[in-house]
Every structure is written in C-alpha cells, then in structure tokens.
Amino acid sequence: MSILKSFRERTGSVYLLILFLATAFGALVYSMLAYQNTEVINNYSYALRKQARLANESLFYLVCEELQRIYDNNTSALQPGNTITIDIPRSQLEALLPDSLHADWDFAKTEIHVGTLSGWTMRYVSSEVPGMESSAFLEQMNSFQTVPIFTKVTLTGTKGTRATSYARSTYAVNAVPLTSYAIFYNQLLESYAGGDFTAAGRVHVNGDFSTSNDASNAVHLYFDRVTASGRHYMDWFHGNTDTKWVAFHTGDFRANGTPRFVGLRNGTFSKNILGDLYTIDRPSTGDRSFGSIQNNSTDSSYQGLVYKSWMDNHISEQDDDWYELAYKNWNGFLKTGAMGVEKVTVPGMDRYEQPSAKPFNPKSTDYWNTAYQMIQPVRESDDASFTSANTAENSKNWTREKNKFAYNAGLVIEVTGSSGNDGYGNVELNPNDPGINVTAYTYERDPQTKAILYNADGTPRKRYVGNPRDLGIVTLEPYAEDINDNTIVTGGLYDNRRQERVHLVKVDVGKIKEVVDNYADLPPTQRFTEDPIGNDLTTGFWNGSVYVQMPYARNNPRLNSGGGPAQDGAQPSVGNYGVYLTNGQELPQQGLTIATNNVVYVAGHYNADGDPTTGNMQVPDDAGEPPAAVAGDAVVLLSANWEPNNSRANSKAKAPTGGTRPAAPTEYSMAIISGNVPTGRSTTTGNSSQSGSIANFLRFLEDWNTSNKWNSSSAGTEAVVRGSIVCMWDSEIAEERWPGHSNVYVRPARLFGYNQLFETSTPPGIPLGGFSGPGYFKEVEAKLWTDELAELN
C-alpha cells in the first residue's frame, strides 16, 4: 500500500466521519428545532385555550348585560317559560381578543343559546354569600328566577391551531315586592318625631337617610337593618346639634321576648310596647381614640364613645373611618352607598329628582316625579308616549305602563264626571246627577302574557261586569254643610291637612268580599254579571287587585296652564275628592289591594279584628289573615270612632259642641303605598319647611291623645299598623305642606311594624323591584354541553 493511497483512504474516512457527524448534528438541531416548534405550538395552543375560556366568559357577561337590559325594561319578559334570543355584534366579540394573541373568532362555530326562564321561587339572601354583604335584599327572602345560558366559543390561531370552550352557565333574576321592607323610600328619608313613633323592621332608602332632632320625648324608631344608596346624616338636615333615639335591633322583634337594640346616642332606654319591654343599649365604646375630635365636644358624656352626632362634622362616609365606625357600632345594621348599597327600583319608575335649590317649585323642569305614574290610569296604545320617533323611550314608557296598578288590576271601578262644576273647580259629584257614571269592568288580556289587548282605535278592550252602585260596592257622598252653620260638616268630610272640602267615593270593602267569595250563593241582581273567580282562580277576572279610577283634573297643577301630563308623565286626578274605604275588617280570601289615582281614607279597623290580645304590630291576628295593600296619592288613617258627618270644618273638633273628636284604638293590617310632601317643596299652602318625617307619612285627622286606650301606659290612643310603608312618589293632589299637628290631629301612639305575613305572601298586584343578576359562569366538557343543550332544545 502506498503512502498516498493510505492517506487518501484516511482522508475519505475523515470526510465520511465529518459527513456523519454533520448529519447527526443536523438531525439533532432539526430535532431540537422541531421540539422547540412543538413546544411553541403547544404553548400557543395552551394560551389559545385559556383565551377561549376568557372569551367565553366575556361573551357570557355580554349576554348577561343584554338580559339585564331586557328584564329591567320589559317586565312581561319575566313571565315564566319565556325565551329570549340574544344577538351580540361581531365587533363586540372581536374587541375581546388582544392583538398580541394573533387569533380570530370562528363565528360559524360560536354559539349562544338562552334557555327558558324558570318559575319564581323564594330564596334567602345570606350575608355569608360572597358579594352579597351590601345587598339591599340581605337577610330576607326574595323572589328568584333562573335562566340557563349555553355558550360556545371557537378561536383559530397560527399554524392551524384551534381552541374551543364550552360553558353551561346561569343568569339569576333577583326581585322583591316593594312590600318586602318595613319602610321603603324612593327618596330622602327623614327621621325626627316630636312624639313617639315606634317602628320595627327592615328599611331601604333610594337616597339619603337623615336622623334629626326634635323637641322631646322618647325612643321613636326601632330599625332592623337600614340600607341607603345615598349617605347617612345625623343632625345635618335641619342643622341641629343632638339626635333623637334611633336604634337598630340585634334580636327578634316579637311580643314574646326582650330583644336588645343598639342606639345612636349615649345611654340606655327601655320602652313598654303593648305590655312588652324593649331595651336600647348605647353604642359600643370600641378600642379607638379620636383625640382632637373628642376634644371638640364640650359635653363630657361624649368622651370614650366611638360615634356621636357631632362627628358628622369631622368624619365623612367616604373616609375609611366610616366603615370601621359603622361596623363596630351597629354590627353592619347600617350600610350606605359608601359600602356599595345600590338603588332598588321598579322598572320604568326609577327616576326621582328634586331641584337642588330650596324651596323648589314642582313646575320646575329640574323636578321629576316619574314613579307617580304607578297610580295613574291605563293609557291608550296610540298615546304619544308610545309612538314617538325615539324607540328606546317608547320601550321605557311601555315598561312603566305595565307596572301601573291600573294595568295589573283585575277589576277597575271608574267614576266619570258630568260637564258641570262643583264650585271648587272640579266635576260635580252628585248621586242624582245623570252625568255621573260609575262602571266596573275588567281588561281583556292575552291568555299567555296577560298583556292588555287594544281596539283598532288604541283604546283598551274592556269587559263590563256590572254597576258598582247597584251592587252596593260604591256610593257617592258629596261634601255638604249645615245650612245654618257652614262650619258644621253634614256630608263628605273636611280634611284639615289638605284644607279642602272632600267629596267621597265610598267603597264598601265588605261588599267586595261578599260578591267575590260568595258569588255562587248570591241572587243574580246582587252579583257581577260574570263569575269573578271561575273554577280554579284562573278563568275568572278576579286577581285580588282593584283600581278606582277618577277623572283627570281639568288643569294640571304641575303645568303653568292647561291639562295633560307634565314632563315626567305625572297627571293628577281631580282635587277635593277622596276614596273612602269602609267596612274593611274582613277582606276577600285571596287578599286585596285597592289603588287609586286619588287620595285614600281608611276608616276603622282594616283587615284586623281590633283586639289587642290577638296578633301585634308584626304578627297577624290569625293564620287566615290575607295580605292587603292600599295605594294612592296620599293615605289618611281614620279611627274606629270616626264620625264623618259629625265634625267641624277647619279643625279637628267635634260638632256641634266643638269639643274634641276622640279617636278609638284602631288596628290596620295593610301595606301603605303612597306619597309625601318633601321638605322644601312649594305648595298651595306655602313653602314646606319640613316633610313631617317618616312619623307623619301616616296621616291622621282626629284627637288620638285620649283616655280611650288599650294600654294605660301608652303615650296616646294606639294606632297599630301591621304592614309595610312604601313612599314611592311626592303627592300631587294632597300636596299641602305639613303644618304640624296642632289643628289637624293630636298624635296617637304610633305603633308600626313589618307584617310577618309578607315574608311568604305578597298583597295582590304589588310591583317587583330590583331586577339584577348576577350571572354564574361555569365551563363544562363538550359532551356534557352537547347533551344538555339537546335536552334543552
């Protein structure tokens, strides 16, 4: 072998070795690059799957927003069994993906399916549920509906990557009747009682809650839990320097125990209510010292207390201190907008605004009293409020329409006036005047949605069911005075708060019960022309809700001249009138709600036996007590001793002697849905300096401070109201200012409590408030999603 050959052979081997090594290294590099590429793709796919889930969750919340908009503005959509189609624009979906992801929606494989709305069920809202700590529904039963939502999102990315997320989620509709609270205010709630006012139960305020000082007397408010969407003020609204007793109870307010209360000022106080003892404790001392703040007080009794009224000048509810003070002193029983409390609104009735300047003129364009429409009559379908070019506004007006008492009433009693004049600027009210007509009818409705049906000319379709006067349900009593002494009232009544002579439309509640509950046993001349009940409470027109419709005023006092609705739709009925409820101790078995677009006078025991040994201010008289409500421009409570034709005009005196007109202890079991005259409103009797506070939301006309009492230790004759106070609007008819009580009434022992019956049974026709989610998102496997969707379909 030559050296050259040997060298060449060795050289070739090296080349082969190098080639082998290069190939191996290339394979390794390729393998590493392929592995890296696979990892990149895997990582990208993982990120894409995560993004698909996030996109699916975002899509779900877009669906929830759309459902909330629909449910909040169209209560007919809340009928169990209804299904809604949701269409989300592509532009909204594309905006959900970050540009850095380099991915697109596969719209052909993105799906939204909204299931059928369930029936209403009752649910208890606990403070232990995350996110519900500041709910206005806290620690109470509320109505609950659910709707299943199926969403599917597919995203496509680079290198053929694809990711799909499946979710089977739930949207919850939470709502409560307005009668779910002891006190519900759709505006500022002022609390100051010159006399005793005892209240028990939950309170919600769509605005500020003000507790202010008055002259004297003892404990006047016992609150279970207060939620206010605005702020809480002590001694601010009237510029006072001390506060009356206001307490939040920490136990069970019942007549069989001694629950404890937490007060707003130093000291303790005990009060006897119908034989039972209740005690207030002072605020807890706490473990904080406020140093210079304490030194600002000259009263040594303030030292060491965490909260005193003068601290409002130093501690804002927007400060962190407010959270600690509120929770430490009242154990979470008082919560405000600073803690996330939101308004509870009836769809369409949510706008209420006063001009900021005081006194304010109700004719101001800044003033909105929208919720007043709740007690107004049904409008025609071609009304301008439904046919404008603004379709969104039309929809809101229809929503408002469907939340009126008149729209939802099973029975409408309508009084139409003559063309004459009664001398006070109103239509004549004379039983013998052929121009006066009283009719009873029910609206024809869609059998599924219960929506009112309309004729071609826009008028609602009515089915007349009899003459209320012939049936003894309604009698008309014009105002009249003694021909020799015009201060002696002989017909109707004189309302000294309104400073008006009042013609009465008397409604015999006992007769309504008779013609409804005993329909089959009555002769044909004494009953409706058709069975109000039907075979199973579904085929008849009776639903427990009655609307008494009075004619509109010729001139709307909210306008500078002429009639028609004001800018907020408020259109009051005639003045100098009142719907007078009598013989109301027993109500129809199903319950009864009577609403009107006028003022209501409730005479005597109502839905109650008048026996102080049965029931109390929260507990019904017996297990068979039906739920009841009264709604109107204003509600006046007259005692069981009221003598309508034995009084003097311009005073609370008895006629003809002029002595006091004594009230008798009286028991009322009903929700009161009404208005008040807010502080600062200009009225026909001068500028209103005070609303009269929550204590004067309940209106009286008699001398209740007599010896005719159930309880000898009571501060006055007892007026026991077992129900719910709902202040939704400002009064437009009985809008005269609160003048104090000196010549209007002598205050009773006002004992008010939330009716336990309302926790499980709501008065007929009461609107629901507070439609809001939340939605609950849940991602599921593809097979489960497919199977459940097939079952849904």
Side-chain angles (χ1 to χ4, degrees):
M1 176 184 299
S2 66
I3 296 176
L4 178 60
K5 182 179 179 182
S6 175
F7 174 79
R8 285 177 177 173
E9 288 178 350
R10 289 197 300 269
T11 302
S13 299
V14 171
Y15 285 156
L16 289 173
L17 178 60
I18 292 173
L19 180 61
F20 174 78
L21 292 175
T23 301
F25 180 74
L28 177 63
V29 171
Y30 177 81
S31 176
M32 292 177 64
L33 290 174
Y35 176 78
Q36 183 179 13
N37 187 55
T38 301
E39 284 297 299
V40 168
I41 293 175
N42 287 341
N43 289 339
Y44 182 81
S45 297
Y46 176 79
L48 195 64
R49 287 196 300 273
K50 289 291 186 182
Q51 189 62 47
R53 185 191 187 285
L54 291 174
N56 199 357
E57 190 170 4
S58 298
L59 172 61
F60 166 69
Y61 284 114
L62 288 176
V63 173
C64 288
E65 288 179 7
E66 186 66 12
L67 287 175
Q68 183 175 9
R69 183 191 65 79
I70 293 172
Y71 291 143
D72 284 2
N73 292 286
N74 184 4
T75 52
S76 62
L78 289 168
Q79 293 293 329
N82 277 8
T83 302
I84 293 175
T85 301
I86 301 294
D87 184 20
I88 305 296
R90 288 193 176 192
S91 58
Q92 281 189 271
L93 298 179
E94 291 170 341
L96 298 177
L97 299 182
D99 294 336
S100 59
L101 185 67
H102 303 294
D104 297 305
W105 287 82
D106 186 341
F107 291 108
K109 295 185 177 181
T110 297
E111 302 177 33
I112 302 171
H113 305 274
V114 179
T116 299
L117 193 66
S118 71
W120 290 105
T121 59
M122 297 301 293
R123 186 182 73 161
Y124 182 78
V125 180
S126 171
S127 58
E128 297 179 359
V129 177
M132 301 302 288
E133 297 88 347
S134 296
S135 171
F137 307 145
L138 195 62
E139 309 296 348
Q140 68 184 84
M141 298 295 292
N142 74 310
S143 298
F144 184 74
Q145 284 180 290
T146 59
V147 56
I149 300 173
F150 291 80
T151 52
K152 173 185 174 184
V153 166
T154 299
L155 301 182
T156 59
T158 58
K159 301 182 183 300
T161 53
R162 181 181 296 271
T164 300
S165 170
Y166 301 85
R168 196 283 191 196
S169 308
T170 302
Y171 183 79
V173 181
N174 291 290
V176 292
L178 292 181
T179 54
S180 296
Y181 301 91
I183 300 174
F184 180 96
Y185 257 62
N186 193 37
Q187 50 200 243
L188 166 72
L189 189 155
E190 295 172 279
S191 167
Y192 55 90
D196 186 55
F197 178 64
T198 302
R202 293 181 297 267
V203 178
H204 178 77
V205 186
N206 281 344
D208 296 330
F209 171 50
S210 170
T211 53
S212 303
N213 178 53
D214 200 78
S216 60
N217 286 303
V219 178
H220 66 274
L221 288 175
Y222 294 85
F223 286 154
D224 180 337
R225 186 181 300 275
V226 174
T227 51
S229 65
R231 298 186 63 186
H232 167 241
Y233 296 96
M234 290 181 68
D235 313 322
W236 163 82
F237 207 72
H238 297 290
N240 296 308
T241 58
D242 195 10
T243 183
K244 287 305 296 171
W245 290 95
V246 178
F248 305 95
H249 84 71
T250 59
D252 191 21
F253 195 107
R254 301 292 186 262
N256 56 359
T258 56
R260 308 295 289 183
F261 293 76
V262 181
L264 292 191
R265 64 175 283 183
N266 189 16
T268 61
F269 189 88
S270 296
K271 178 176 176 57
N272 188 283
I273 303 174
L274 293 180
D276 295 286
L277 188 67
Y278 300 90
T279 302
I280 281 182
D281 288 335
R282 70 180 186 178
S284 58
T285 301
D287 55 7
R288 289 197 57 175
S289 172
F290 287 93
S292 61
I293 295 180
Q294 289 182 345
N295 294 333
N296 286 331
S297 172
T298 60
D299 186 343
S300 61
S301 66
Y302 288 100
Q303 300 299 321
L305 290 178
V306 175
Y307 191 83
K308 289 302 294 185
S309 59
W310 49 267
M311 286 186 181
D312 268 17
N313 298 324
H314 305 276
I315 298 177
S316 167
E317 290 189 22
Q318 297 180 11
D319 295 337
D320 291 339
D321 288 330
W322 163 249
Y323 290 81
E324 183 172 350
L325 291 171
Y327 280 108
K328 183 173 293 183
N329 280 347
W330 306 307
N331 302 321
F333 283 97
L334 172 62
K335 296 180 180 179
T336 67
M339 299 167 183
V341 175
E342 298 180 347
K343 288 185 176 182
V344 175
T345 60
V346 175
M349 306 290 182
D350 55 341
R351 187 166 185 180
Y352 175 84
E353 297 174 19
Q354 290 183 9
S356 56
K358 299 286 189 300
F360 70 88
N361 189 335
K363 296 181 180 181
S364 167
T365 56
D366 296 333
Y367 175 62
W368 287 79
N369 192 24
T370 305
Y372 192 80
Q373 292 191 48
M374 285 178 65
I375 56 169
Q376 293 184 181
V378 169
R379 298 187 187 275
E380 296 182 4
S381 62
D382 58 357
D383 189 279
S385 59
F386 308 135
T387 58
S388 70
N390 188 335
T391 55
E393 191 64 27
N394 293 342
S395 177
K396 288 182 180 179
N397 287 328
W398 271 116
T399 297
R400 192 173 297 124
E401 186 76 3
K402 293 176 180 179
N403 278 294
K404 289 180 175 180
F405 285 101
Y407 190 96
N408 294 291
L411 176 66
V412 178
I413 298 173
E414 183 175 2
V415 179
T416 54
S418 70
S419 59
N421 189 287
D422 64 358
Y424 309 113
N426 301 296
V427 295
E428 287 186 291
L429 180 57
N430 188 325
N432 300 317
D433 186 342
I436 292 289
N437 193 28
V438 183
T439 57
Y441 55 84
T442 185
Y443 291 115
E444 295 188 11
R445 301 177 184 273
D446 182 282
Q448 298 298 322
T449 66
K450 305 303 180 183
I452 291 177
L453 302 175
Y454 297 87
N455 297 309
D457 61 357
T459 57
R461 286 161 54 175
K462 304 173 183 177
R463 203 165 65 244
Y464 290 90
V465 296
N467 187 317
R469 285 194 281 186
D470 292 345
L471 296 175
I473 294 175
V474 174
T475 57
L476 305 179
E477 185 177 304
Y479 178 83
E481 298 168 344
D482 187 278
I483 58 173
N484 298 315
D485 186 349
N486 62 5
T487 67
I488 298 178
V489 179
T490 59
L493 63 81
Y494 189 90
D495 188 325
N496 204 37
R497 164 75 182 264
R498 294 171 64 183
Q499 294 286 291
E500 288 181 344
R501 301 166 174 86
V502 179
H503 309 299
L504 298 180
V505 177
K506 290 189 170 183
V507 177
D508 189 322
V509 177
K511 181 61 69 172
I512 293 179
K513 172 180 172 58
E514 181 182 352
V515 297
V516 170
D517 290 348
N518 303 322
Y519 174 82
D521 299 329
L522 296 174
T525 57
Q526 298 179 25
R527 62 189 189 186
F528 291 118
T529 56
E530 61 179 81
D531 188 347
I533 300 297
N535 297 325
D536 56 2
L537 284 178
T538 59
T539 57
F541 63 82
W542 179 254
N543 63 5
S545 182
V546 177
Y547 182 73
V548 181
Q549 180 171 323
M550 299 292 290
Y552 285 125
R554 286 197 179 98
N555 295 303
N556 188 341
R558 286 280 305 283
L559 302 175
N560 290 319
S561 63
Q567 61 175 352
D568 53 9
Q571 189 172 3
S573 67
V574 292
N576 295 99
Y577 285 82
V579 175
Y580 184 93
L581 306 184
T582 184
N583 192 22
Q585 277 193 256
E586 295 186 14
L587 304 187
Q589 297 173 7
Q590 190 179 348
L592 180 67
T593 293
I594 295 183
T596 181
N597 57 337
N598 210 273
V599 180
V600 183
Y601 297 85
V602 183
H605 303 300
Y606 194 86
N607 194 28
D609 59 15
D611 182 351
T613 65
T614 60
N616 62 25
M617 55 199 284
Q618 286 195 295
V619 180
D621 286 337
D622 56 63
E625 181 175 300
V630 173
D633 178 272
V635 175
V636 182
L637 302 182
L638 305 174
S639 84
N641 204 35
W642 174 259
E643 298 178 75
N645 300 331
N646 192 16
S647 61
R648 285 190 179 274
N650 302 305
S651 77
K652 59 179 178 295
K654 186 176 181 179
T657 63
T660 59
R661 182 171 53 202
T666 309
E667 184 181 16
Y668 312 86
S669 180
M670 61 187 182
I672 298 175
I673 306 170
S674 183
N676 75 343
V677 182
T679 296
R681 172 170 172 159
S682 298
T683 69
T684 56
T685 56
N687 294 334
S688 176
S689 59
Q690 294 182 6
S691 68
S693 91
I694 178 62
N696 286 285
F697 176 86
L698 304 175
R699 301 190 184 197
F700 302 97
L701 294 177
E702 298 165 86
D703 180 358
W704 291 77
N705 192 23
T706 67
S707 59
N708 185 18
K709 305 175 183 179
W710 281 331
N711 184 356
S712 60
S713 64
S714 172
T717 298
E718 296 87 350
V720 178
V721 180
R722 179 173 58 250
S724 173
I725 285 176
V726 180
C727 183
M728 279 296 296
W729 49 78
D730 294 346
S731 298
E732 299 277 3
I733 300 171
E735 56 95 38
E736 289 74 17
R737 67 185 296 271
W738 179 66
H741 59 79
S742 59
N743 197 41
V744 177
Y745 69 95
V746 176
R747 59 192 175 228
R750 293 169 285 207
L751 305 179
F752 168 74
Y754 180 65
N755 193 341
Q756 290 181 24
L757 176 65
F758 293 168
E759 294 175 355
T760 56
S761 186
T762 303
I766 299 299
L768 296 173
F771 302 124
S772 59
Y776 303 94
F777 179 81
K778 183 180 180 181
E779 193 175 31
V780 297
E781 295 180 354
K783 185 178 186 308
L784 179 62
W785 188 88
T786 303
D787 292 345
E788 289 196 4
L789 180 60
E791 183 179 345
L792 175 73
N793 292 332

